[in-house]
Amino acid sequence: MKSFTKSAVQLGVAGLMGVTACSALASENKISDGVVRIGVLTDVNGPFMDNVGRGSIVATELAVEDFGGKVLGVPIEIVTADHQNKADVGSARVREWFDEGKVDVVSELGNSAVALAAMKLAQEKNRLALVTGAGAVRISNEDCSPNSLHWVYDTYSLAKVGTQPIVKEGAKKWYYLTADYAFGHSLENDGKTFIEQAGGEMLGSSRYPFPGNDFSSYILLAQASDADAVAFATAGLDLQNAIKQGKEFGLGEDGKQSVAMLMSIMDVHGLGLSDAANMMFAESFYWDLDDESRAFAKRFQERTDRMPTALQAGQYSGVLNYLKAVEKSKSDNVTDVVETIKTMPIQDAFAKNGKVRADGKMVHDMYLVRVKQPAQSKGPWDYYEIVETVSGDQAFHPLSESKCSLVK
């Protein structure tokens, strides 16, 4: 457990008086147990640890420090655990946190199955699930809950922002290289919908067994197609390996645009600019966007020796605004906090023009980015060119199409 309070050893008579005063203040402000506890459930050692993991824990620490380590005069504590990308492991830990650890909000949840399981428990126990790391649309759609918030991105926004502007620029014909499991299928199907809405067409797709190592045959099929754009509907190491092999086979040398349906700055860093150059994809954050994002990224880098991913910056934003809502509502009761946060403008190092809708989705500006060529980069981590900014109202699914029971 990480705490930003004084240790018990430091408490003398004056300290005990302070505890009494703190308890009284907590009672006055409706803070349960005299402490606000934040649980960070993340992938510490698995395939997504670079995109979330320790970096998301650091982002949480930075948010708590920026808030002063206390809210309404009571201490803020952070507890952390590894969900191992298993819903049963994640559920067991969340249940333990809620029942025994008196955790008020469980956050990050960078796996959709883990997130959905945590959301059910949060509703059962009347706590909050702050989902910053998972992207399933159903989190804030058919499975929405009054006890959950969905903060960073979803497959809808990634597919829409990552295809339609490119179609409108002239890449009308598309071919997909897709991981053959539910997540890959979702990225491909959403992409197909938005490509056709923008006036383009899907020529075909190759689905490979996930995880994979040899993408050569699928890349050759994509090259042989008449496509203007080749989309990679996969993620992590598979994405990096597919891009590397595509480069070796000369993919893109004939003018075909390579597009990733889900890519992060750590994927670009792992590939290097020589292999990742000219890739296009949707992003929800870039460290070099403005002064505020640069200041946050500098502090993050000092502790991690790397720049934050969108998911890590989103975790910072989600925790910071949760604490603001606790302060504003003078309560850590989940109903009070959620009602309050839905009235607040969300504007910080991560979110630009953000707001939390009735379905719990935090909508904000999204970006279509292109990876720079090595000669264009001015220094370490200078990787992206912002091609287009898409407002949250345009990037995320409209409430008029929502299946969320909270939407009147």
Side-chain angles (χ1 to χ4, degrees), residues 54 56 61 71 83 92 101 120 125-126 156 159 175 178 189 232 251 265 267 286 309 311 329 340 353 357:
R54 174 59 188 160
S56 289
E61 293 170 350
V71 57
H83 55 57
K120 289 181 180 178
K125 304 293 184 180
N126 198 32
Y156 182 105
Y175 192 95
T178 303
N189 292 335
F232 295 85
L251 183 64
I265 196 166
D267 291 318
Y286 182 42
T309 65
L311 299 179
S329 64
T340 299
N353 304 307
R357 305 189 309 193

Side-chain angles (χ1 to χ4, degrees), residues 215-232:
F215 301 93
S216 57
S217 61
Y218 310 107
I219 291 166
L220 290 172
L221 287 170
Q223 278 184 309
S225 73
D226 192 32
D228 303 312
V230 175
F232 295 85

Side-chain angles (χ1 to χ4, degrees), residues 35-36 50 52-53 63 83 96 105-106 113 125 135 143 148 175 192 212 254 281 303 328 338 352 361-362 374 389 401:
V35 178
V36 172
D50 284 339
V52 285
H83 55 57
E96 176 189 337
V105 53
V106 59
K125 304 293 184 180
D143 289 317
S148 61
Y175 192 95
K192 180 177 185 292
D254 58 355
F281 53 96
R303 300 195 186 186
K328 188 173 181 180
V338 171
K352 309 304 173 189
K361 170 78 72 181
M362 198 277 280
T389 299
E401 298 175 7

Side-chain angles (χ1 to χ4, degrees), residues 47-48 51 183 210 234-243 262-264 267 271:
F48 306 114
N51 284 334
F183 182 69
F210 178 85
T234 187
L237 290 177
D238 276 30
L239 174 66
Q240 293 184 36
N241 288 331
I243 292 171
L262 176 59
M263 195 169 190
S264 79
D267 291 318
L271 282 165

